[in-house]
Amino acid sequence: MSTQRQQPETETETESTESEGETAQERRLDEKRRRAEERERKRVEAEERAAADAERYHLKVFRYDPEVEGKQEPRFDDFHVPYEPGMTVLDALIYARDQFDASLTFRHSCRQAICGSDALFVNGSQRLGCQTQLSDLDQPVRIEPLPHSEVVKDLVVDMEHFYDQMESVEPYFQTENRPEGELEEQRQSRENREKIKKSTRCIWCGACMSSCNIAAGDNEYLGPAAINKAYRFAMDEREGEDMKQRRLEIIEQEHGVWRCQTQFSCTEVCPKDIPLTEHIQELKREAVKSNLKFW
Amino acid sequence: MYEYDVIVVGAGGAGLRAAIAAQEAGADVAMVTKLHPVRSHTGAAEGGINAALREGDDWELHAYDTMKGSDYLGDAPAVEALTQESPEEVIQLEHWGMAFSREDDGTVSQRPFGGLSFPRTTYAGAETGHHLLHTLYEQVVKRGIEVFDEWYVLNLAVSDEDDPAERSCHGVVAYETATGNVEAFTARDGVVLATGGLGQVYDHTTNAVANTGDGVAMAYRAGVPAEDMEMIQFHPTTLPSTGVLISEGVRGEGGILYNDEGERFMFEHGYANNDGELASRDVVSRAELTEVNEGRGIEDEYVHLDMRHLGEERIVDRLENILHLAEDFEGVDGLEEPMPVKPGQHYAMGGIETDEYGQTCVDGLYAVGECACASVHGANRLGGNALPELIVFGKRAGLHAAGGETEAPRVTVGRSDDSEAGDVETPVELGEPWGSEGDAVADGGAAAETAEAVVERSLERERERVERLLERDDGTQHAEIRAAVQHTMTENVNVFREEAALKEALVDIHAARERYRDVYVADPSSTYNTDLIQTIETRNLLDIAEMITVGALARDEFRGAHWRKEHQERKDDEWLKHTMVSWSDGSPELWYKPVVLEGEKKTYEPKERSY
Ligand SMILES: Cc1cc2nc3c(=O)[nH]c(=O)nc-3n(C[C@H](O)[C@H](O)[C@H](O)COP(=O)(O)OP(=O)(O)OC[C@H]3O[C@@H](n4cnc5c(N)ncnc54)[C@H](O)[C@@H]3O)c2cc1C
Ligand code: SF4
Ligand code: FES
C-alpha cells in the first residue's frame, strides 16, 4: 500500500499537521490514480491505431503493479513500435516507455551486455534485452519478467535470493601464499588463466538460475551462477590446495553440485557463453577425487 | 534515519575502493547506490589500466605522458599522485585475485595505448573494467561493508552558511526505489561522492543510461564549484548505431583505420605522422570527422577499423570481447570484415573540484572517480588513465574521510587570491527561470545549525520534492526534455565547436528548463517508480549541459578535446587556467583558477603536442 510512503518518522511535534497533509495528499493521489486510468484508456486506443501499421513491431509486455488498480491483476499490454534496423528488445521497450507509457518499468543500464540488469523472458527464453535483436524474433514478441522469481513490478523481479546465493560461496579471493613485497605479483600461468577465463565472465544477470528446473523446485540449491563463481576460485591455482578443499566442501553441501541433473538449460541461456553445466560436472569430478584422498 | 561514519554514494570502481579504504582505516561505512554494485558502469571499461610496473618505465615517464596528454591543463601534484601510486594499487588488485591477462612467465601483461611512451596498459582481455569492478565488490562482500543498493540519492545534507567554504556536509537523503521511501543517511565523518559519468547529456555516447551526472549536479547546487566541464572526451571508435565502445586496445594491438577510399588516413592525410592510429583520442576523433565532412566517410557517417590482419589467434586471445560486441551490436564479424566506427561522447574530464585527497571546499564532502576533477586528465584523458584514478583517489579519499593519516594537499580548492572572475556573453539568461528557490542545497541563510537539524531539513525538502513531482498530474514528460537536451548537445557541443552553435545550445537548454517547470511524473506508484527517478535525473542533466556549454563558449582557444572553429591555437598566455562554474542563486557563475604545473621534482613546461 502506498499510504505508508510519506509517513513522518519520529517528530512528534509535526505529526498532527503532517498527518492532515497526509490525507489531503492521499486524496490527491487517489485522484491522480483515477486520471492515470483515464490516460491508460486513451493509450490503449492510440495503441489500437498503431497496430494497424504493418511497419511496426508488435510487443506483448507483461504488466503488474501491486499499487495501481487495474495493474494489480497481472496482464499483457500490446505495444506497436516502429522498427529500425539493428533495434533490440531493450530499444523497443525504451521506445514504448518514452512514447506510450512512462510507467512501463524494467531495469537496464549499460546497453552492451555487461551490467546484467536486463535479463528478461523473451518469447519463452531467458535473454538480455539489449543483446537480442528484434529481427531474430517471431511476432508478437512476448516479454515477461524472469520466471521463478518474485515480480516486483512489470518486468522487474526481486534479485535478493540470487544475490544471497552468489554471496554464500565466499566469492572472494583467499590465499595464504601472498608473495613478499608490495609490487610482487602472484604469478599465474597462462594456461590457468585460460582455464578460469570463461567462469570470470559472469555478469550476475540471473538468467541461468531462472532457467533451471532444479532451482525452481529447491529454493536452497546454490544454482549454476553461484557454483560457477565457486569454480572460478576453486580452479585458480593461486589460491592453493587447502583453500581448494574448503571450496569443494562448500559446493558439495546438500544443496550444492550434486543437485544438478545436467539438463543444460543454464548453459543454453547464459548470455556470456559460460559452459556452466561443464563447470558443474568438473567440480563434481574434483569433489569425488578429493574425497578419494580421504577415504 | 541511518547513521554511519562514512557514507559512500555510488558503488563503481571509485566508490568500492573508497569504502574499502575507509573501512580499513576503522570507519563504520555504508554504500548507497542507485544500481546494485556489479551493475555500475565501471564494468564496461575494456582496454586497461595504466601503471608503471616494468623495467624501463617509471612514474615520472607516466606523469610526463599524462601532463602532455592533458595539454597542460592537468595539475601536477594530482598527476604525480596518480602515477606514483598506481603500481601499488594495480598490484593490490592482483593480490585480491583480479584475473589479469598473463605473460609466459606468469606476470601480468601490458600493452601499448594512445599517447603513452611505454606499453604500460595492464589489462584483462578486453574486459578490464568488468574484472576490476567484480574484484573490488568481492572485497566489499568479504569485509561485510553495508550496501544499500537501488537507493537513489536525491540530495546532500549541507549546512547553510553564506560562504560555501564554511559549509559542511552531514549526510545524504535517498529514495528507496523498491518502496518509495525517502530516508536520511547521516555521516559523522564524511560523504564520498562516486557517482560516475554524465554521458547521458549526449545522445551518442558509450556511457550507460545511469550516467546522468547526479553527483556533479548535487555538489554544484550545494555550492561546490564544477571544474573544466567543457572538457568532454569523444572516443574515436564507437559503433555507429548504438555508441557501444570498441576499445582503444584494438588500435593498441595494431588495428588500422581506413576511409571510404581505402586510405590509411591518419598517415595519408597527415593527421599524426608519427603515431598514426595511436595518436591521442582528440586527434583521432577530429581526423575521422574531417574525413567524413570532406566526403571520404563511409555512408557519410563513419570510417572503418580493421583488425583482420592481426589473425584470429591474437584477436581471440586479447580482444575476444570486441568480436562479441561487433557481432551483437552491429552485426559485423570482426574476423571477416572491418568494423564501422565513429566518435562518440565517452568521458568527462571535468567534474566536482577536489584536491588530491578527493576533498571539496565543503567540509566533509569528497568526490572521486569520473564525477570528480582532481585534475589529472586536464583537456584530454589518456586511455587507461581513468581506472587507476578510481583506485588511487578512491583509496585516498576513503582514508582521509575516515580520519586516516595523510599529508597536506597541494592543490587548492574553492576561491582564493589566485582566482579571477570570468565573463561571457550569452544569448539568454542562464540558470533557473525560477531562481534557486527550492532547488539549492544551501542558500546561505540560517547559520550555526546542528548537524541533526541540517539532515532533518534536507530530508523534509526532499520528501516535499518527491511529493510535489508525484502529485502533479499533467504537463511535460522527462523523456521529451531529456531528448531535446541530448539532441542539442550532440548537434552543437560536439567534437567541433563554434560560437554560433554553442549559443544555440544555450537557447535550447533554456527552453528545456522552461519546459521542466511543467514536468510531471505519469506513474503514480511508489513501487519501483523509474519514471520519478528519471525525472529527477533529467533535472540534473539540465545543469550539467549548461555548465559544459557555457564553459566551452567562454574558452576561446583550442586545447585538447576542446576545439574551437574561430580559435585554432592553444593560448598559453591566457588559458593555462581551469574553468570553474559555481551556483549563484540558481545560475552559473564563471571564474578561473591557475593550473599547477610545478611537480615534485620539476615543472612541466607546456610544449607543442604532436603525435
Ligand atoms: C565503455 C567504456 C570503456 C572504458 N574503458 C576504459 C579503459 O579501458 N580504461 C580506463 O582507464 N577507463 C576506461 N573508461 C572510463 C572508466 O571506465 C570510467 O571513468 C570509470 O569506470 C568510472 O567509474 P566510477 O566509479 O567513477 O563510476 P561508475 O562505475 O559509473 O559508478 C557510478 C556509481 O554511482 C552510482 N550512482 C550514480 N548516481 C547516483 C545517485 N544519484 N544515487 C546513488 N547512486 C548513484 C551508480 O549506481 C554507480 O554505482 C571507460 C568508460 C566507458 C564508458
Ligand atoms: S552464469 Fe551466465 S546466465 Fe548465469 S548469471 Fe552469470 S552471466 Fe547470467
Ligand atoms: S542493459 Fe546492461 S546487460 Fe543489458
Side-chain angles (χ1 to χ4, degrees), chain A residues 32 67 153 167 184 186, chain B residues 94-95 137 470 523 527:
Chain A
K32 183 174 168 125
E67 279 187 55
K153 175 174 165 187
E167 282 165 21
E184 262 314 299
Q186 331 170 78
Chain B
E94 204 269 356
H95 287 179
Y137 180 57
L470 279 176
D523 187 352
T527 302

Side-chain angles (χ1 to χ4, degrees), chain A residues 28 32 35 65 67 107 109 111 115 131 153 167 171 178 184-186 200 204 229 232 238, chain B residues 39 94-95 97 102 108 130 137-138 150 207 209 328 470-473 521 523 525-527:
Chain A
R28 282 194 297 273
K32 183 174 168 125
R35 271 190 264 176
D65 186 332
E67 279 187 55
R107 289 193 182 96
S109 186
R111 307 163 301 141
C115 75
Q131 203 188 27
K153 175 174 165 187
E167 282 165 21
R178 285 267 157 83
E184 262 314 299
E185 292 134 83
Q186 331 170 78
T200 60
W204 297 44
K229 190 85 183 162
R232 178 255 171 276
R238 296 173 298 171
Chain B
R39 320 270 179 233
E94 204 269 356
H95 287 179
R102 300 281 166 172
V108 299
H130 167 79
Y137 180 57
E138 286 159 17
E150 300 197 332
N207 280 201
V209 174
D328 291 344
L470 279 176
E471 281 182 18
R472 199 176 293 162
D473 196 32
V521 176
D523 187 352
S525 183
S526 47
T527 302

Side-chain angles (χ1 to χ4, degrees), chain A residues 90 107-119 128-131 203 205, chain B residues 39 209 329:
Chain A
L90 178 62
R107 289 193 182 96
H108 65 301
S109 186
C110 70
R111 307 163 301 141
Q112 55 183 80
I114 194 72
C115 75
S117 63
D118 66 339
L128 296 180
C130 65
Q131 203 188 27
I203 55 173
C205 71
Chain B
R39 320 270 179 233
V209 174
F329 299 101

Side-chain angles (χ1 to χ4, degrees), chain A residues 100-136:
Chain A
F100 301 140
D101 183 351
S103 74
L104 177 59
T105 307
F106 46 94
R107 289 193 182 96
H108 65 301
S109 186
C110 70
R111 307 163 301 141
Q112 55 183 80
I114 194 72
C115 75
S117 63
D118 66 339
L120 297 163
F121 197 53
V122 182
N123 281 0
S125 62
Q126 287 79 359
R127 315 165 193 251
L128 296 180
C130 65
Q131 203 188 27
T132 307
Q133 294 285 323
L134 275 185
S135 55
D136 289 343

Side-chain angles (χ1 to χ4, degrees), chain B residues 10-19 37 40-43 132-133 136 194 369 387 390-391 394-395:
Chain B
L16 293 166
R17 188 66 189 88
S40 301
H41 204 51
T42 292
L132 182 143
L133 180 69
L136 286 172
L387 295 179
L390 307 182
I391 50 178
K395 175 183 178 184

